[in-house]
Amino acid sequence: MAPFNFTHSDASTFILTGIPGLEAAHIWISIPFFTFYIVSLLGNVTLLSVVGKEQTLQKPMYLLLCMLALTDIATPTFVVPKALGIFWFNLKGITVAGCLTQMFFLHTISVMHSSTLVTMAFDRYVAICNPLRYATILTNAQIAKLGLVGFIRAVLFILPLPLLLSQQTFCANRIIPHTQCEHIALEKMVCGDIRVNRIYGYVLMFVINGFDLTFIALSYGLIIRAVLRISSHKAHQKALNTCTAHICVMLTYYTPTFFSILTHYFGQGIAPYVHIILADLYLLIPPMLNPIIYGVKTKELRDKVVKYTCRSSADTKFTQSSADTRDDISSGLQCPSGNCQIVREYVNQH
């Protein structure tokens, strides 16, 4: 592979190296990347299609699932195509504007994802602790408003990051040892004073994660207290089962997040490629697993997915069978009057 020549003339371009130390294995690493991405797209698009087609699923819980699915489609879409370009075609260049844009959208979607998990925790709290008022507290319109608030919060919190970085001077060596433009990686490229950037990044991390996790913990604390007041063991199980999928989704999201953050700040002795792989898995694994988790744990959704899958398969078979039947009838017609063409056209139309 030809070495890149980095000079001050490259002022508008960064170089994403992929996974440093594992360049020889880039082709093999691209296989799970591509597989996870396709499975994620199929799962989340299926979920959106089923909820969109089925009127009985168009209620707050499933609208929240659609919001989660949209973030799960967007997150890997901002990362995987560029990563595959690096792995397959050695397309490592990215403009400064493109890098800042990718960073903005990645972090915005991440905050939006966290907001959706908070809203889902509130949804479970109302459903279990105040079921009689659920329909009035959480309407479809309320969910849409909460989603909009979450989106506005994400944009307002994340927008200062690229704006602050755009005012900085980047060093001549513009190599980013990563598959993506994330905030921590870009900070290391700055030659000037980045205290403001770092302070804002720390505040952002603690405020967003602290608030969201505190709210989720509070919701589940109240849920557990309400469940423990129920005397029936069967009712205990039923109430907790409604939360299982949400708990699994939270674990798949927050666990890799914290591992990635901890390795960045306290894992100086860890090989660089471990940091990169953890950051990529954090963006790839949750979007792939979330529709599977909800498909397995939510019976109503699972039944509808099976219904539409079977119907699609049956429609295909019926269409093929009908076409074959028409061909058989048409080819076996006897037309003593010589009007075979007319009769065949009639049969094909009906």
Side-chain angles (χ1 to χ4, degrees):
M1 190 182 298
F4 289 96
N5 181 24
F6 301 106
T7 64
H8 285 285
S9 62
D10 298 319
S12 62
T13 305
F14 289 133
I15 301 297
L16 290 167
T17 63
I19 303 179
L22 297 177
E23 288 87 354
H26 273 178
I27 292 295
W28 296 106
I29 294 170
S30 71
I31 296 172
F33 264 67
F34 183 71
T35 304
F36 291 164
Y37 182 49
I38 294 301
V39 172
S40 172
L41 286 182
L42 288 174
N44 287 291
V45 169
T46 299
L47 191 152
L48 289 170
S49 300
V50 170
V51 174
K53 290 177 181 178
E54 189 62 45
Q55 289 287 338
T56 58
L57 295 182
Q58 292 175 12
K59 47 192 178 184
M61 176 183 172
Y62 295 104
L63 292 183
L64 285 170
L65 281 184
C66 288
M67 288 167 55
L68 192 68
L70 288 172
T71 63
D72 284 341
I73 289 171
T75 300
T77 298
F78 286 120
V79 174
V80 175
K82 180 59 181 175
L84 292 178
I86 296 170
F87 296 154
W88 290 346
F89 309 111
N90 201 34
L91 299 174
K92 298 182 176 182
I94 184 170
T95 63
V96 173
C99 207
L100 292 173
T101 301
Q102 186 191 47
M103 184 200 75
F104 169 73
F105 280 112
L106 275 177
H107 291 299
T108 299
I109 294 299
S110 179
V111 175
M112 183 65 192
H113 191 110
S114 187
S115 299
T116 305
L117 292 178
V118 171
T119 309
M120 293 173 86
F122 179 63
D123 171 79
R124 291 302 85 204
Y125 160 73
V126 176
I128 292 171
C129 299
N130 206 344
L132 296 179
R133 295 186 59 203
Y134 179 85
T136 56
I137 294 174
L138 283 176
T139 61
N140 290 352
Q142 285 294 103
I143 293 298
K145 289 177 185 176
L146 289 171
L148 181 61
V149 169
F151 176 73
I152 292 171
R153 181 190 82 146
V155 171
L156 292 179
F157 274 128
I158 299 301
L159 189 59
L161 290 179
L163 292 179
L164 286 170
L165 283 172
S166 67
Q167 304 304 311
Q168 298 287 349
T169 302
F170 294 100
C171 298
N173 186 356
R174 293 170 173 254
I175 306 173
I176 302 178
H178 213 306
T179 57
Q180 57 185 276
C181 296
E182 63 173 14
H183 184 250
I184 296 172
L186 282 173
E187 273 187 348
K188 295 176 181 177
M189 304 286 297
V190 176
C191 292
D193 186 1
I194 59 169
R195 280 180 296 179
V196 174
N197 301 64
R198 280 190 173 166
I199 290 170
Y200 186 75
Y202 289 136
V203 170
L204 200 62
M205 183 176 65
F206 285 111
V207 167
I208 292 175
N209 289 331
F211 173 81
D212 290 359
L213 288 173
T214 300
F215 194 92
I216 289 170
L218 179 62
S219 297
Y220 274 97
L222 294 172
I223 287 170
I224 291 170
R225 188 181 71 170
V227 168
L228 291 176
R229 289 178 178 177
I230 304 172
S231 57
S232 167
H233 178 70
K234 187 175 180 181
H236 279 186
Q237 273 192 324
K238 186 176 180 182
L240 291 175
N241 280 342
T242 64
C243 302
T244 304
H246 183 242
I247 292 170
C248 291
V249 166
M250 284 194 300
L251 289 174
T252 62
Y253 177 74
Y254 287 113
T255 304
T257 303
F258 281 111
F259 268 110
S260 182
I261 292 171
L262 289 173
T263 55
H264 263 295
Y265 289 108
F266 306 108
Q268 284 76 17
I270 299 175
Y273 63 80
V274 175
H275 295 276
I276 311 305
I277 291 172
L278 281 174
D280 288 332
L281 289 178
Y282 149 66
L283 296 173
L284 291 171
I285 299 296
M288 180 184 67
L289 291 181
N290 289 346
I292 297 172
I293 290 169
Y294 273 101
V296 170
K297 292 291 184 181
T298 311
K299 185 179 183 301
E300 188 178 10
L301 178 61
R302 183 173 68 247
D303 291 344
K304 298 302 182 185
V305 170
V306 171
K307 168 189 166 184
Y308 280 103
T309 303
C310 292
R311 178 186 292 178
S312 177
S313 177
D315 287 347
T316 302
K317 290 180 180 178
F318 178 77
T319 302
Q320 183 62 42
S321 176
S322 299
D324 292 344
T325 302
R326 284 198 304 269
D327 289 343
D328 291 343
I329 293 172
S330 181
S331 61
L333 285 172
Q334 300 296 323
C335 309
S337 60
N339 292 324
C340 285
Q341 183 61 33
I342 297 172
V343 176
R344 283 196 184 99
E345 289 177 2
Y346 176 83
V347 171
N348 288 332
Q349 291 171 4
H350 293 79

